[in-house]
Amino acid sequence: MRLLVTRPEEDAAALASVLAARGHEVVMSPVMSIRFLDEAEFPQRVWQALLVTSANGARALARRREAAALKNLPVLAIGPATAQAMADAGFRRIEAAGGDVETLAALACLRLSPDGGPLLHAAGSVVAGDLKAALTAQGFEIERAVLYEAVASDALPGAAHRALAENRADGILLYSPRTARIFVSLARAAGLEAALAGITAYCLSPAVADALENTAFLTVKIAEQPEQAALLALLDG
């Protein structure tokens, strides 16, 4: 299949290789770019553990000189890809949740104690789900360090525009509700919404699929679990 990959370039290269190995043709179609906030304030406290909700959060944390003093702390990552990014950054005590905020909060409640000290959440300027509210309700103190922002594109990438305009796309991979909303908005602005009726949207979670409400995709398929392996399994169906 010819598949549109909407992830930022930082995340798309490895995915493109996996798709190519499965025999798919990849159309790189990022609708957001990552800007690291290297000068942002970094909270200084005695942390019980680190919570990381994206691979870009891991990369942003790794860029900070403050990270060197944190590498022996327990790390709870939202999923396997984020856990790998933390390992690549030199962190050692890492455990992955099931791919969403709910399973990350549950893992934190299982592994950590509200009395053990505050938690540091390395995150972007926009977050999916309310991790802080979920853990505060369980008695934890959690502080969010905004270390990067994902900036929406102002136009559909040229490769995606051509693929849709020429009816040469079979599907699109969507990893977040925000990505889904941005892509649909850009397709509409380009006058290409009708072209979506010919392709399948492969969604990482029900929340991503919900963001496609009132769009005319040929089919919307949802991964059984909010993780890349489950999303890729949809392509074999």
Side-chain angles (χ1 to χ4, degrees), residues 59-82:
R59 295 182 189 113
L61 182 60
R63 293 166 63 94
R64 301 296 297 258
R65 59 176 177 79
E66 295 92 344
L70 305 176
K71 290 189 176 179
N72 287 321
L73 286 177
V75 175
L76 302 185
I78 196 165
T82 301

Side-chain angles (χ1 to χ4, degrees), residues 27 47-48 59 81 88 96 106 116-117 122 131 140 147 204 217 229 231 233:
V27 179
W47 304 107
Q48 176 182 180
R59 295 182 189 113
D88 292 343
L131 182 62
F140 287 92
L147 303 180
L204 187 68
F217 282 101
L231 182 61

Side-chain angles (χ1 to χ4, degrees), residues 192-229:
L192 293 170
E193 184 176 9
L196 303 182
I199 70 174
T200 297
Y202 297 95
C203 301
L204 187 68
S205 69
V208 177
D210 289 345
L212 298 176
E213 185 179 9
N214 298 322
T215 56
F217 282 101
L218 176 65
T219 306
V220 175
K221 296 186 177 183
I222 304 171
E224 290 188 0
Q225 300 293 331
E227 56 189 25
Q228 182 165 288

Side-chain angles (χ1 to χ4, degrees), residues 17-84:
S17 296
V18 171
L19 293 171
R22 288 169 169 253
H24 301 295
E25 182 180 343
V26 175
V27 179
M28 300 294 273
S29 311
V31 297
M32 289 188 286
S33 59
I34 302 301
R35 185 168 76 89
F36 295 111
L37 304 177
D38 294 335
E39 302 304 319
E41 181 179 357
F42 197 99
Q44 299 291 328
R45 301 184 63 183
V46 179
W47 304 107
Q48 176 182 180
L50 304 178
L51 305 180
V52 190
T53 45
S54 72
N56 284 309
R59 295 182 189 113
L61 182 60
R63 293 166 63 94
R64 301 296 297 258
R65 59 176 177 79
E66 295 92 344
L70 305 176
K71 290 189 176 179
N72 287 321
L73 286 177
V75 175
L76 302 185
I78 196 165
T82 301
Q84 184 59 56

Side-chain angles (χ1 to χ4, degrees), residues 108-219:
C109 290
L110 183 66
R111 297 286 187 256
L112 307 173
S113 168
D115 298 325
L119 309 178
L120 176 62
H121 176 198
S125 58
V126 177
V127 294
D130 196 339
L131 182 62
K132 183 172 184 177
L135 289 176
T136 299
Q138 299 300 318
F140 287 92
E141 181 184 357
I142 179 170
E143 189 167 347
R144 183 158 64 104
V146 178
L147 303 180
Y148 75 94
E149 61 179 353
V151 181
S153 301
D154 56 11
L156 199 66
H161 190 289
R162 290 189 295 273
L164 291 175
E166 298 168 8
N167 295 313
R168 293 189 299 106
D170 301 303
I172 179 171
L173 274 63
L174 297 167
Y175 277 69
S176 73
R178 187 180 179 213
T179 298
R181 288 190 291 267
I182 292 170
F183 179 84
V184 170
S185 176
L186 295 178
R188 285 173 174 159
L192 293 170
E193 184 176 9
L196 303 182
I199 70 174
T200 297
Y202 297 95
C203 301
L204 187 68
S205 69
V208 177
D210 289 345
L212 298 176
E213 185 179 9
N214 298 322
T215 56
F217 282 101
L218 176 65
T219 306

